[in-house]
Amino acid sequence: MTDKVKSTLAQSTAARWVVLAIVAFTMMTGYIVAKQVSPLQYYLEQLPADGGMGWTSSEFGFFAGSRGFFNVFFLMLFVSGFILDKKGVRFAGMLSCLLMLGGTVIDYYAIAFMSPVPTMSFFGDTMKVQVLVAAGGFALFGIGYELCGIAVSKVIVKWFTGKEMALAMGLQVALARLGTALALGCSPRVADAFTLSTPLLLGVFFVGLGTVGYLVYCSMDRKFDESNSSTELTDDSDKFKFSDLKSTLSNSGFWLITILCMLYYSSLYPFLDFATKLMITKYSVGADVAGFIPAILPFTSIILTPLFGAMYDNIGKGASIMIIGTIMLTLVLMVFALPLSSTWIAVTAMIVLGIAFSLLPSVLWPAVPKIVPIALLGTAYSIIYFIQNIGLMIVPWVIGKVLDANTTGGKTDYTQAMWVFSGIGVAAIIVAIMLLVMDKRNNYGLELKNNK
């Protein structure tokens, strides 16, 4: 009877969707924390006498980019990918949850209990000690956040290969976007109603819930592996081989999709970090509701990402969709660079950007297993996230410097910053076109549907 139950679990449609719901919720809690400080930039830059922390745009940009510090400079993503491939999704996933929880606690402590007055020199800049401690916590969180991302991706591949994989990944991304939307829209309101640190305290609570949820998944996954039909490393073709790693690293298609991911997310996520203040300063939106306009973007993608994922499952055209997504992204960023101050233009642009925010991720992540052997997915995703983190670390710092240089009398001009974002978008278009050409040459199958 026990063997029958295990086999039923491994084959059960309901079981794999329950697994998706659990791991997607865990990832969503990480997305809440990842963006919960972004809409608070305006508040953090207020003087302490006005309830703020007196941060500069450069300090805020440094904090926003610090999430990738350990991943980039200490190569933690490579370590994370190796741990995932060698130890499996249960061990790696729980480790990621604990790291996210610890980093969020440090962030909360820095904002809630540290004085914003003391400063120290850091790489030639004078920064508040509070900023450096918060950045250290965010960097620790970043290790767990990225490890969680690659672990959840491998979980989905494990449970959905040959089935509704792109739809499953699309739904996971959609729930993650809900976390982003909640953070962007609700953090300012929570800070207004309580204290500036309260959103971070809620982040600790949510990541704690995500950790408990992942424990439940681990129990289900253990039964899955014990069943006769387990797909986790059951034959030689699924085992980690260094020869496969060498083949992957010499694959130009893998590097194109890696660079495309870096360019796309380096223009989009840092833009979201600064978008709330952009709405306040350029479009004259109230500080307490300004976060809801950037929140349009993830809310739109909640609906569209699974839809586009299902479309990719059934009709293919993944590389072509990537091109369309990068073009839409770049055009919207250029609109924000133009001297147009209508709130309706901002809202419309965010809706279009939400479509772009849905198109590319819905096909990019399911495309990776078409290029990389399943046993190397953890390592491959870790390389992709590593390169992505370089952009996510550098771009916010650069944008913060650009904004400080374009701030006069408390008024910030976002024009130059938006042209920087647009330039990154143009580079993404070029790489997406190159990937389509490479797919046609090497027959990766990016244009083919996923359903068998």
Side-chain angles (χ1 to χ4, degrees):
M1 176 64 71
T2 301
D3 290 340
K4 183 178 180 180
V5 170
K6 291 176 181 177
S7 179
T8 301
L9 174 69
Q11 297 295 329
S12 171
T13 299
R16 68 173 179 266
W17 289 107
V18 169
V19 163
L20 176 66
I22 292 171
V23 298
F25 173 76
T26 299
M27 193 72 251
M28 183 192 77
T29 64
Y31 271 67
I32 291 174
V33 174
K35 289 300 176 189
Q36 65 184 352
V37 177
S38 297
L40 301 179
Q41 179 189 5
Y42 178 81
Y43 296 85
L44 289 167
E45 293 181 3
Q46 297 295 300
L47 296 174
D50 297 323
M53 297 293 173
W55 289 18
T56 65
S57 291
S58 294
E59 287 176 326
F60 177 79
F62 175 78
F63 169 82
S66 65
R67 194 180 77 199
F69 183 84
F70 291 144
N71 288 324
V72 172
F73 289 107
F74 291 91
L75 305 179
M76 289 307 300
L77 267 169
F78 292 105
V79 176
S80 297
F82 186 77
I83 289 173
L84 176 58
D85 284 335
K86 299 299 288 185
K87 295 293 186 179
V89 291
R90 295 192 293 271
F91 178 88
M94 283 307 305
L95 177 61
S96 74
C97 290
L98 295 175
L99 289 169
M100 287 195 295
L101 185 61
T104 308
V105 169
I106 294 173
D107 281 348
Y108 170 68
Y109 172 81
I111 301 299
F113 300 107
M114 293 188 68
S115 168
V117 176
T119 62
M120 64 178 292
S121 178
F122 185 79
F123 285 105
D125 283 345
T126 299
M127 289 194 181
K128 296 176 181 60
V129 175
Q130 179 193 49
V131 173
L132 295 175
V133 172
F138 204 33
L140 180 65
F141 166 84
I143 301 174
Y145 175 78
E146 303 294 3
L147 176 55
C148 187
I150 58 178
V152 167
S153 295
K154 192 165 185 178
V155 167
I156 295 173
V157 171
K158 174 179 179 178
W159 285 72
F160 284 87
T161 293
K163 302 180 180 72
E164 315 91 338
M165 187 167 64
L167 174 59
M169 287 191 172
L171 288 169
Q172 182 268 311
V173 170
L175 198 57
R177 300 289 186 253
L178 176 60
T180 299
L182 290 173
L184 292 173
C186 297
S187 287
R189 305 304 293 270
V190 172
D192 268 344
F194 299 97
T195 67
L196 192 52
S197 62
T198 304
L200 288 156
L201 182 59
L202 288 175
V204 173
F205 171 74
F206 283 121
V207 173
L209 282 181
T211 302
V212 173
Y214 204 87
L215 279 170
V216 176
Y217 160 72
C218 288
S219 176
M220 294 183 67
D221 192 72
R222 187 174 292 107
K223 293 177 181 178
F224 181 99
D225 282 350
E226 290 171 356
S227 69
N228 292 330
S229 57
S230 171
T231 59
E232 178 77 354
L233 304 180
T234 55
D235 57 55
D236 289 340
S237 65
D238 285 334
K239 293 180 180 179
F240 181 96
K241 302 185 184 72
F242 281 102
S243 59
D244 289 337
L245 177 59
K246 181 180 179 181
S247 175
T248 297
L249 294 178
S250 62
N251 189 327
S252 55
F254 168 73
W255 286 110
L256 284 174
I257 207 167
T258 299
I259 295 170
L260 175 60
C261 180
M262 185 269 289
L263 292 170
Y264 176 80
Y265 284 106
S266 294
S267 59
L268 193 52
Y269 279 150
F271 167 72
L272 279 178
D273 288 329
F274 293 94
T276 299
K277 190 180 176 183
L278 170 66
M279 298 302 128
I280 297 170
T281 59
K282 183 173 181 177
Y283 298 98
S284 302
V285 181
D288 59 335
V289 296
F292 283 107
I293 296 181
I296 291 172
L297 193 156
F299 271 125
T300 302
S301 69
I302 290 169
I303 300 171
L304 295 181
T305 304
L307 178 63
F308 291 141
M311 182 176 70
Y312 184 34
D313 279 332
N314 290 287
I315 68 173
K317 302 298 180 183
S320 299
I321 292 173
M322 292 182 202
I323 295 173
I324 296 171
T326 54
I327 291 174
M328 293 177 67
L329 164 71
T330 305
L331 291 176
V332 171
L333 294 174
M334 289 179 175
V335 168
F336 281 118
L338 299 176
L340 305 170
S341 57
S342 169
T343 304
W344 287 109
I345 291 176
V347 170
T348 302
M350 280 294 181
I351 293 173
V352 176
L353 192 57
I355 298 173
F357 198 34
S358 308
L359 276 171
L360 195 138
S362 66
V363 300
L364 188 149
W365 300 113
V368 176
K370 294 186 176 184
I371 300 176
V372 178
I374 188 171
L376 284 176
L377 277 180
T379 301
Y381 279 131
S382 71
I383 295 171
I384 293 172
Y385 277 92
F386 173 77
I387 302 299
Q388 175 184 306
N389 269 250
I390 294 175
L392 293 177
M393 183 183 67
I394 294 174
V395 172
W397 201 351
V398 171
I399 295 298
K401 294 285 188 182
V402 172
L403 292 177
D404 276 342
N406 287 273
T407 298
T408 305
K411 180 70 173 179
T412 303
D413 184 354
Y414 273 74
T415 303
Q416 288 189 12
M418 293 311 305
W419 283 120
V420 172
F421 284 131
S422 300
I424 299 172
V426 170
I429 295 172
I430 295 171
V431 174
I433 294 172
M434 292 173 64
L435 184 61
L436 175 62
V437 173
M438 193 64 64
D439 178 55
K440 291 181 177 179
R441 180 182 302 168
N442 295 336
N443 297 316
Y444 298 129
L446 302 184
E447 294 285 272
L448 300 178
K449 63 182 182 180
N450 295 314
N451 281 340
K452 294 182 179 179

